[in-house]
Amino acid sequence: QVQLVESGGGLVQPGGSLRLSCAVSGSIFSIGVMGWYRQAPGKERVLVASSTGIGITNYLDSVKGRFTISRDNAKKMVYLQMNNLKPEDTAVYYCNGIIGGGNRWSWGPGTQVTVSS
């Protein structure tokens, strides 16, 4: 069984930065395509950034140029560097594998990101 644990969230002022981490544990050979999602209060969870096993990345238009997804395949870790944060980035952030257009595993607890002055 695969477990996902996100960390690194917090309260930050507009324009600030945070680096989120996602640890993938369990009996899997490789983590494959991975994504960072976020869910704001009262809204659906959306895919923010994704990365293939060889590092090809895609981003939600609203975060392009500000967020960077990266990964350490050997450690089964995925990261999301978030710069120039805006109040609209406030959400719970989750990571998950992506397969067939959907999430590969059960969701982890997520990590709260709050951008506020």
Side-chain angles (χ1 to χ4, degrees):
Q1 186 173 354
V2 172
Q3 287 189 320
L4 304 168
V5 178
E6 303 90 350
S7 61
L11 173 63
V12 63
Q13 292 186 342
S17 298
L18 285 173
R19 187 188 191 221
L20 307 184
S21 297
C22 168
V24 184
S25 63
S27 299
I28 52 171
F29 178 71
S30 69
I31 56 177
V33 180
M34 292 294 297
W36 278 99
Y37 300 75
R38 69 185 180 190
Q39 186 168 21
K43 296 187 177 180
E44 292 187 352
R45 186 154 32 202
V46 297
L47 180 64
V48 173
S50 64
S51 170
T52 70
I54 56 172
I56 296 172
T57 58
N58 277 292
Y59 297 92
L60 188 67
D61 283 347
S62 60
V63 308
K64 284 181 180 177
R66 300 189 297 121
F67 289 12
T68 303
I69 186 172
S70 60
R71 57 197 287 154
D72 185 327
N73 291 329
K75 294 182 179 179
K76 297 179 185 175
M77 295 289 296
V78 186
Y79 307 97
L80 186 68
Q81 178 66 43
M82 306 187 296
N83 298 327
N84 190 21
L85 283 160
K86 303 177 180 181
E88 52 264 42
D89 295 319
T90 295
V92 179
Y93 284 72
Y94 304 86
C95 67
N96 210 320
I98 300 173
I99 188 167
N103 55 287
R104 183 175 175 184
W105 302 298
S106 297
W107 296 100
T111 186
Q112 175 72 49
V113 171
T114 303
V115 185
S116 175
S117 55

